[in-house]
Amino acid sequence: HRLADFARIESERRRLKLPQSQVGFHCVFSGSAGTGKTSLARLLGKLLHALGLLKYGHTVEVDKSGLVGQYLGDTPMKVKRAFDEADGGVLFIDEAYSLTHDEDDLYGHEAIDGIVKLMEDRRDRVVVIVAGYEKEMRKFIDSNPGLKSRFNRMIHFDDFDAGELLAIHKQMIRSSGFEASDGFLMKSELMWQTLYRDRITFEGNARMVRSSLEIAYENQARRLVRTPKRQRYELCELLPEDLDGVEQQLRENYDD
């Protein structure tokens, strides 16, 4: 990716004590929920740390409640506290557009003023990533000249298609140490094709996959407690019936 390439060259310039570009790594991540925005923010922090561009590379995640106070004067302190915690790493502000949702929200605008100032004051120490839905994030950036001048890099995250959701499903199962039977995977593939066709997956993406597994694990447990003589391998095996009712529950949870 262009951002990773830029980071590597910037790191090499720093190592050779050459002039720096003075271009920051602040980013706007736009896209639906569950498309990997938070995960990439964490990876970016680790990459910049590995390249010597951030001291620690950790990621501090906040939303509006972590930045806006309940009374006048409290907000600047909360914003500063967030930057202090993120010093040497990444400050990830999820659903950042909520700070400007209400034009009369003085505290939200106060938070933005504080963010803009500290982004400049600590540009070599903190990378700020703001994230949210594409339309709302464009409106958010346009709402303040300071934001527009500091966020010159927008990365959009597409929704996952049915094949990608199935691949994520398989990967999550492997990571948990479970095994999925062929029948389970066939039923899973059909489920993701149907949910994607009906545009249900756009509301959750990878989060929806995780939700589906949580339901499947519970279904498996209910099935196993009725099995008097359980074999060791059965405790970590997922069968087709463990997906019974999962699609319907996902529709109820995610279809607005």
Side-chain angles (χ1 to χ4, degrees):
H1 192 277
R2 291 172 58 185
L3 181 58
D5 293 342
F6 173 67
R8 289 188 176 93
I9 297 303
E10 192 76 346
S11 173
E12 188 171 346
R13 279 194 288 262
R14 176 176 291 192
R15 181 172 55 82
L16 296 173
K17 295 182 170 52
L18 294 171
Q20 301 289 289
S21 67
Q22 303 304 313
V23 176
F25 292 94
H26 306 308
C27 299
V28 178
F29 285 0
S30 68
S32 304
T35 49
K37 299 185 294 295
T38 307
S39 297
L40 185 59
R42 294 169 184 158
L43 287 173
L44 179 60
K46 293 176 182 177
L47 172 65
L48 295 177
H49 170 63
L51 292 173
L53 298 171
L54 282 176
K55 188 173 183 179
Y56 303 114
H58 64 299
T59 299
V60 173
E61 301 167 30
V62 297
D63 55 15
K64 182 178 180 179
S65 65
L67 297 170
V68 174
Q70 295 182 330
Y71 53 86
L72 208 59
D74 187 31
T75 296
M77 294 175 61
K78 294 189 77 169
V79 172
K80 181 179 180 299
R81 190 179 305 124
F83 271 81
D84 288 345
E85 291 176 5
D87 206 316
V90 172
L91 178 61
F92 181 82
I93 306 175
D94 197 18
E95 297 182 348
Y97 53 81
S98 62
L99 292 169
T100 58
H101 235 39
D102 184 354
E103 293 183 2
D104 297 325
D105 184 358
L106 297 178
Y107 297 154
H109 289 285
E110 189 179 27
I112 291 174
D113 290 340
I115 291 167
V116 168
K117 182 179 185 304
L118 287 171
M119 283 177 68
E120 181 64 25
D121 293 347
R122 306 190 189 187
R123 62 182 180 274
D124 296 328
R125 292 157 49 192
V126 179
V127 171
V128 178
I129 298 176
V130 290
Y133 293 103
E134 183 177 17
K135 182 180 177 181
E136 286 85 347
M137 290 308 298
R138 291 190 182 278
K139 187 176 179 181
F140 168 72
I141 296 301
D142 289 340
S143 71
N144 184 295
L147 291 174
K148 203 165 187 178
S149 65
R150 284 164 179 78
F151 288 106
N152 57 7
R153 185 181 290 109
M154 179 175 282
I155 300 174
H156 180 68
F157 292 68
D158 292 328
D159 292 297
F160 295 120
D161 62 27
E164 290 168 329
L165 291 166
L166 177 62
I168 294 169
H169 206 179
K170 292 178 179 178
Q171 191 275 329
M172 285 185 177
I173 292 170
R174 285 195 300 269
S175 296
S176 66
F178 280 66
E179 289 189 12
S181 66
D182 290 341
F184 180 96
L185 293 177
M186 289 175 62
K187 194 169 182 178
S188 172
E189 182 177 12
L190 180 61
M191 178 180 73
W192 294 121
Q193 288 174 349
T194 304
L195 290 170
Y196 180 78
R197 180 199 65 200
D198 295 343
R199 303 179 67 84
I200 306 297
T201 57
F202 297 171
E203 295 300 320
N205 288 282
R207 291 183 189 176
M208 184 179 290
V209 177
R210 186 173 291 107
S211 296
S212 75
L213 271 179
E214 290 171 356
I215 301 168
Y217 291 149
E218 291 179 2
N219 287 348
Q220 185 225 34
R222 284 197 296 269
R223 171 174 59 81
L224 288 176
V225 294
R226 294 176 176 83
T227 305
K229 294 183 179 180
R230 294 183 287 274
Q231 299 297 315
R232 179 186 175 91
Y233 74 89
E234 291 180 297
L235 295 172
C236 293
E237 182 184 42
L238 294 169
L239 300 180
E241 52 264 42
D242 298 330
L243 280 176
D244 288 351
V246 172
E247 180 180 334
Q248 182 57 36
Q249 194 160 340
L250 292 176
R251 287 179 180 275
E252 292 173 0
N253 292 345
Y254 288 92
D255 188 5
D256 294 332

